[in-house]
Every structure is written in C-alpha cells, then in structure tokens.
Amino acid sequence: MLMPENEVDETDCCGNGCTNCILDNQPKPSQQALVAGKRNVILSYARFKMLSNEVHNGDDQLRLLHFVYVASDDEENDSILDIPPGHHVMLRAELAGHAAPLLRPYSPYWTDFVAKEFKILVKLQPGGPMSDYLAALEPLQVLNFRGPIGNYVHDSSSPKSIYIIAQGVAIAPTLPLVAQVLDNEDDMNCIRHLMCVKDLQHVYFRDRLLEFAQYWNYHSCLYLAHQKCGCGAANCDELCVHLKKELRYNERARRLRLDAMQLAAQKISRNQNGSIVIIAGNSTFQRSIREQAIIAFKLSDENIYLL
Ligand SMILES: Cc1cc2nc3c(=O)[nH]c(=O)nc-3n(C[C@H](O)[C@H](O)[C@H](O)COP(=O)(O)OP(=O)(O)OC[C@H]3O[C@@H](n4cnc5c(N)ncnc54)[C@H](O)[C@@H]3O)c2cc1C
C-alpha cells in the first residue's frame, strides 16, 4: 500500500505528455525491494548529491551525471535504490524566476542497488531551463528525484525475441534492459539491439555495445542515416571497404534509415516464444517505429513497449 507521502497528484506531472506518465504509473515498491524487505529510497522525492558532471563523447552538450542518495542523520540503513530497467525518474528543481518547481523526466542507464547511486546521460537542449540548470551543476550539489516510473517488466521464464530500438541518446536507458538479460546465464531471451543515429560520431556507449556483442544471444546493428562514405553508394553496409575502416570488430552498420523492410531483415530465426519490441526515443520516433514494427513482425500493440 502507498504511504500518503508516496501518493501522486496533478502537480507531480511534468506536462510533457510522456508515454508513461507518472499519473498512470505511480512509483510503487518493486519486486526486488519487496524480496529484499527493504525500503526503496526514491519512492517519494529523495535527495541525491551529484558526484560528477562529465562531458561525454567529446560533446559539451552531452553530460554523464552521477548521483548518490543522501540519507538523513537519524535514518536507519534499511533501504535500497531500485530503478528497474526501462523505468525513468522525475527531477524536481526550484529554479529562480519559476513560480512552480520545474519537473523533467530522465532515464538512468546505470544503478547501484546497495550503494544507492545512479547515472543519467543528458543531452542539453539549447535554451531549455532544466538543461541550463544541469549544465552549471557542480559536484556535491543536491537534487530531488522521484520514481521509478514505467510499466515494463522483464520476463526471463519464456524465451522470446526481444527487439530493442533506440534513437540517439535514448540508447542510454536501453543498456540496463540488455544487461539484465545477458547478466543472467539462465536467461535464454535473444536480443536484437538496433540503434538509429546520424552517423558513427553519434553512437554513444560504443565500448559497452562491443562488450554485449560477446554474448551468443545479442546482436546489434547501427542505422546511420547521414554517415558519409567514400564509396559513393547511398546505402552501403559493413561489407563496404570504406565503411569497414570506420567500424570496430564485430560492429554491423547500414547507411540508411530503419524501416519495416530493414526491421524484417533483422528477424531472429531461432524458434522463440513470440516477440516483443521496446522503443526508446522521442514521441515521433516511437510512433513511427511502432508502425514499422507492426508491419515487419505482425505484432499486436500489447507486445510493443514505449519507454
Ligand atoms: C520518459 C522520458 C525520459 C527522458 N529521459 C531523458 C534522458 O535520460 N536524458 C535526456 O537528456 N533527456 C531525457 N528526456 C528529456 C528531458 O526530460 C527534458 O525534456 C530535456 O532535458 C529538456 O529539458 P529542458 O527543460 O532543458 O528543455 P525544454 O524546455 O523541455 O525544451 C527546450 C527545447 O528543446 C526541445 N526539446 C526538448 N527535449 C527534446 C528532445 N529530446 N529532442 C529534441 N528536442 C527537444 C523542446 O521542444 C524545446 O524547444 C526524457 C523525456 C522523457 C519523456
């Protein structure tokens, strides 16, 4: 049962029309927290201290922010931090010049359950109020976050084909979704991880993707809509010698946009118990890929998850 301080009302909604709005997906004790018999510190707004604010991929507009929970002096050590893969958290900040607190959702790409730490990748939006605030954050400053918000629950008991499709920085929240399958050697789900980005410069967490590629049940492909290639062809792939020089060992890439035909070509041939598709990106991307996935895999809506 939710405690009064954990309940949500209209003032908890950021108003950006999130697919998984906090009003429909109230933060609630997760299965892991219940099993551990511990309190999840983030169920109502909790204080997190920033440990670092680092530029990512050499791009000043991309920041990796690392936070740790700040316990109150009299607090017992009976808590954990649980943000399940595919869930996001809400940041609430009181900014000068804003009458009401500003709310923005962010999707952690790494969480430490016991140390109560998490990390997010933020793409700063020019002129955006939360972006300006985050860009200037100094280590040790304290922020308020609440969550977890979302509805995706991974089922490791019946092996499926899982297509995880991400746009740009939204690759970040898909990393824990992949890791939870690969970290469990009894999990027989097969993953196709498809990244849609401008070009190779905009592929984030490339080293992590190469680590994933060592597992039998993981394959990825990069869709590089604006990658330049010396061969002159419009849609070359990793077999092109020019593109090959830019790729790392085990990387697969196509110089085109992902569509239903490309998706169908990614179909996993192993005999699995059905398929699901998880889509991370802005709402236009989610809508468009959802339609392409329905055509390519003949799926119904309940097998498609929008983060
Ligand atoms: C469920 C969810 C999870 C999210 N997770 C992350 C995350 O992990 N990392 C992250 O960086 N952002 C994430 N976002 C977006 C984030 O919540 C903010 O919208 C973003 O940081 C901009 O906030 P702002 O106040 O600076 O600018 P805003 O005032 O919100 O926007 C400033 C300008 O940028 C445009 N803009 C805002 N967001 C985008 C976008 N994604 N793409 C293109 N233009 C945009 C707006 O239309 C506006 O013109 C997430 C959004 C949702 C719905």
Side-chain angles (χ1 to χ4, degrees):
M1 214 174 86
L2 289 177
M3 304 295 285
E5 70 269 21
N6 294 339
E7 285 171 2
V8 299
D9 61 30
E10 275 71 27
T11 61
D12 291 300
C13 170
C14 66
N16 290 330
C18 303
T19 309
N20 296 307
C21 173
I22 189 170
L23 298 179
D24 307 321
N25 298 273
Q26 306 204 2
K28 51 185 176 302
S30 63
Q31 200 53 36
Q32 276 214 71
L34 291 173
V35 168
K38 305 257 183 179
R39 185 176 64 87
N40 189 2
V41 291
I42 201 165
L43 280 189
S44 51
Y45 276 106
R47 287 154 48 83
F48 287 84
K49 182 168 65 183
M50 197 184 71
L51 296 175
S52 59
N53 181 347
E54 288 171 9
V55 167
H56 183 57
N57 236 23
D59 179 348
D60 193 45
Q61 296 304 299
L62 267 186
R63 301 296 178 84
L64 294 179
L65 306 184
H66 184 176
F67 297 95
V68 61
Y69 174 64
V70 182
S72 52
D73 292 342
D74 56 349
E75 196 173 316
E76 283 182 46
N77 190 13
D78 63 344
S79 58
I80 42 94
L81 171 66
D82 188 19
I83 306 167
H87 286 58
H88 62 270
V89 293
M90 191 68 82
L91 166 59
R92 184 180 68 187
E94 315 262 350
L95 303 188
H98 288 256
L102 191 67
L103 299 165
R104 292 286 183 271
Y106 292 95
S107 311
Y109 69 88
W110 176 89
T111 310
D112 189 315
F113 194 77
V114 178
K116 290 170 249 181
E117 297 179 17
F118 71 93
K119 296 180 187 176
I120 53 177
L121 172 67
V122 174
K123 181 172 186 185
L124 303 175
Q125 300 294 339
M130 194 62 92
S131 298
D132 291 346
Y133 174 68
L134 293 177
L137 270 189
E138 298 281 350
L140 307 187
Q141 272 184 263
V142 172
L143 279 69
N144 287 289
F145 287 95
R146 177 176 198 189
I149 306 157
N151 58 17
Y152 178 72
V153 181
H154 175 60
D155 173 13
S156 60
S157 63
S158 65
K160 293 170 296 299
S161 301
I162 306 181
Y163 300 89
I164 302 178
I165 308 172
Q167 174 199 37
V169 284
I171 184 181
T174 68
L175 300 180
L177 290 167
V178 173
Q180 79 177 339
V181 174
L182 304 187
D183 288 349
N184 176 2
E185 59 183 35
D186 296 327
D187 194 324
M188 297 294 142
N189 281 288
C190 284
I191 297 178
R192 276 283 185 284
H193 201 188
L194 310 177
M195 269 73 61
C196 301
V197 287
K198 252 197 271 186
D199 53 31
L200 281 169
Q201 288 286 95
H202 292 84
V203 181
Y204 310 117
F205 302 104
R206 226 167 143 185
D207 293 338
R208 188 84 176 109
L209 299 179
L210 291 173
E211 282 169 26
F212 289 154
Q214 294 168 21
Y215 289 81
W216 67 270
N217 48 347
Y218 175 89
H219 288 89
S220 68
C221 187
L222 309 170
Y223 287 87
L224 312 166
H226 301 287
Q227 175 75 28
K228 300 214 168 17
C229 184
C231 74
N235 60 357
C236 60
D237 62 18
E238 70 276 0
L239 299 175
C240 163
V241 283
H242 297 273
L243 187 57
K244 207 171 188 166
K245 273 194 244 158
E246 311 279 328
L247 298 177
R248 300 195 192 156
Y249 177 67
N250 252 343
E251 266 182 343
R252 295 169 63 223
R254 300 274 184 283
R255 274 184 60 230
L256 34 74
R257 295 176 89 83
L258 182 62
D259 58 15
M261 210 167 84
Q262 291 298 322
L263 271 177
Q266 291 290 349
K267 200 161 166 47
I268 297 169
S269 55
R270 282 174 69 90
N271 192 15
Q272 301 281 65
N273 302 325
S275 305
I276 62 165
V277 175
I278 304 172
I279 310 172
N282 66 28
S283 51
T284 314
F285 178 81
Q286 288 182 334
R287 264 199 308 275
S288 142
I289 295 293
R290 187 183 144 277
E291 283 166 20
Q292 309 291 318
I294 289 174
I295 299 169
F297 302 131
K298 305 197 173 26
L299 286 181
S300 56
D301 250 349
E302 74 256 24
N303 295 315
I304 302 184
Y305 297 86
L306 309 179
L307 297 191

